[in-house]
Amino acid sequence: MHQLQSKLQKDGDFLSLSRENEWSIPQPFSFIVTHQASQQQSKVSVIDTGLIVFEPLEKNTTKDIVLSSAVHGNETAPIEICADLIQQLILGKLFLAERVLFIFGNPASINISQRFVEENMNRLFSGGHSKDQGHGEGLINKERHRALLLENTVRGFFQTGSELSANRERSHYDLHTAIRGSKNDKFAVYPFRHGKAWKKEQLQFLYSCGINTILLSHSPTTTFSYFSSNEFGADAFTVELGKVKPFGENDMSQFQQVKDTLTSFISGKDLFLKPFDENDFSIFEIYQTINRHGENFVLNFSDDVDNFTDFPVGPVLATDDDVEIIVKKEGEAIIFPNAEVAIGQRALLTVVPTTID
Ligand SMILES: [Zn+2]
């Protein structure tokens, strides 16, 4: 334990610590770091592998910020962004203004460069970890245990914040990259808000991150971002930052805006958000959710069709045994197609343009 801590304090490399301890560390630990320029002190708490909290010690805070990555282990760009922010904080190079919880969701899947080991974690939140369990004792795989741990960690983090002061701003940006390319390179899924208004200032924040395509969700899901939004009232998003690439092959200049904005956000700098203008955004809502029912599920478009590609009304998008799935509405576009999913799971979404007013 002492060794883990002294190495981390020296090199700030929390990503390596997490990868070398795939599912757990022997015990939690904490230490104090001093920001070099201001001499302000912060407490660093390593809760478990991939779970680290930073809290300013001599400064009142108003925000509780969760930044998660590696819920899908092969989505490297956001992992690199977060690893660098964590390192700068530990080494005293970045000023910390607010409470921040960083999460590397699934370190074991980072190590095998796969989305997941046994099960897609972004289907396991809001109790998803305990569904379809069969008759066995306990949760049936490590990813289910990990999803439960992530839920409890986020809950504890927000609760501790609310003990410090009232009316705090909670946010959770769950950072991903997509399997396929996208016509709209970066986009964010805004989880279902159960009728509450969509927040324009949040869209302005995303715009500052270089994201101008927003997908509004109209039903509860088992994603991590919906969990934080629904259970804790956090401003939460699933943020897709371009296409999956191996470590070291990301063109990090493509992620400069998101990195700069997140850096300013956690260090309390003015974000200079551009006033909201609907013309800056492409906003979509889900139109058809197509689950695979049959043995023979075939997509009638090629593998390299980008997310958000639209189709004219009429053609058959997919066949599910003898059922044809047809484009029904002007501007209808496809996202997240995957013909290989298990029977009963989602194989394709279609979306249509909308507005938030
Ligand atoms: Zn992902």
Side-chain angles (χ1 to χ4, degrees), residues 151-217:
E151 286 189 353
N152 289 336
T153 302
V154 168
R155 180 179 295 110
F157 176 73
F158 284 139
Q159 272 173 0
T160 302
S162 64
E163 287 159 13
L164 294 175
S165 64
N167 302 319
R168 297 176 69 84
E169 287 175 39
R170 294 170 167 176
S171 50
H172 179 180
Y173 300 99
D174 183 34
L175 307 173
H176 290 250
T177 54
I179 298 172
R180 58 180 61 215
S182 175
K183 258 179 86 178
N184 308 52
D185 175 46
K186 301 179 177 70
F187 62 98
V189 181
Y190 202 153
F192 182 44
R193 285 176 53 75
H194 295 265
K196 283 176 284 180
W198 310 103
K199 292 188 182 176
K200 287 176 181 163
E201 70 198 46
Q202 282 297 312
L203 269 54
Q204 293 171 255
F205 180 86
L206 292 168
Y207 189 78
S208 171
C209 291
I211 297 156
N212 65 357
T213 301
I214 312 293
L215 175 59
L216 307 177
S217 174

Side-chain angles (χ1 to χ4, degrees), residues 71-72 74-75 115 120 122 175-179 238 240 244:
V71 165
H72 295 139
N74 61 341
E75 298 176 1
R115 268 165 86 73
N120 179 357
N122 221 14
L175 307 173
H176 290 250
T177 54
I179 298 172
T238 306
E240 301 277 356
V244 165

Side-chain angles (χ1 to χ4, degrees), residues 1 18 61 70 83 112 131 148 153 163 289 300:
M1 173 47 54
S18 301
T61 58
I112 57 172
K131 288 193 190 107
L148 179 60
T153 302
E163 287 159 13
T289 300
N300 286 344

Side-chain angles (χ1 to χ4, degrees), residues 30 57 165 272 349:
S30 62
L57 281 179
S165 64
F272 299 107
L349 286 176

Side-chain angles (χ1 to χ4, degrees), residues 17-204:
L17 182 153
S18 301
R19 295 182 66 172
E20 286 157 14
N21 298 271
E22 291 189 333
W23 297 104
S24 63
I25 56 173
Q27 63 190 88
F29 59 90
S30 62
F31 53 91
I32 306 295
V33 296
T34 303
H35 178 239
Q36 290 170 4
S38 70
Q39 295 296 301
Q40 185 196 253
Q41 292 192 317
S42 303
K43 183 180 179 190
V44 183
S45 306
V46 174
I47 296 169
D48 206 329
T49 189
L51 305 172
I52 188 167
V53 174
F54 294 87
E55 298 170 290
L57 281 179
E58 300 142 338
K59 182 180 181 307
N60 291 329
T61 58
T62 59
K63 295 184 173 76
D64 303 307
I65 301 164
V66 179
L67 297 177
S68 54
S69 61
V71 165
H72 295 139
N74 61 341
E75 298 176 1
T76 55
I79 301 171
E80 291 182 71
I81 291 169
C82 290
D84 188 49
L85 292 173
I86 292 167
Q87 186 166 47
Q88 289 186 57
L89 287 168
I90 293 175
L91 298 181
K93 293 177 176 170
L94 177 62
F95 183 78
L96 180 73
E98 302 291 351
R99 296 179 70 241
V100 186
L101 162 62
F102 287 94
I103 296 174
F104 294 128
N106 192 343
S109 73
I110 300 175
N111 284 345
I112 57 172
S113 305
Q114 299 290 328
R115 268 165 86 73
F116 50 84
V117 180
E118 289 188 62
E119 197 169 6
N120 179 357
M121 277 183 67
N122 221 14
R123 302 278 176 276
L124 294 179
F125 294 95
S126 300
H129 45 71
S130 300
K131 288 193 190 107
D132 309 320
Q133 275 277 113
H135 298 292
E137 296 266 322
L139 301 176
I140 56 177
N141 62 45
K142 286 180 171 172
E143 272 140 342
R144 291 188 172 217
H145 285 276
R146 184 78 181 157
L148 179 60
L149 175 63
L150 266 49
E151 286 189 353
N152 289 336
T153 302
V154 168
R155 180 179 295 110
F157 176 73
F158 284 139
Q159 272 173 0
T160 302
S162 64
E163 287 159 13
L164 294 175
S165 64
N167 302 319
R168 297 176 69 84
E169 287 175 39
R170 294 170 167 176
S171 50
H172 179 180
Y173 300 99
D174 183 34
L175 307 173
H176 290 250
T177 54
I179 298 172
R180 58 180 61 215
S182 175
K183 258 179 86 178
N184 308 52
D185 175 46
K186 301 179 177 70
F187 62 98
V189 181
Y190 202 153
F192 182 44
R193 285 176 53 75
H194 295 265
K196 283 176 284 180
W198 310 103
K199 292 188 182 176
K200 287 176 181 163
E201 70 198 46
Q202 282 297 312
L203 269 54
Q204 293 171 255

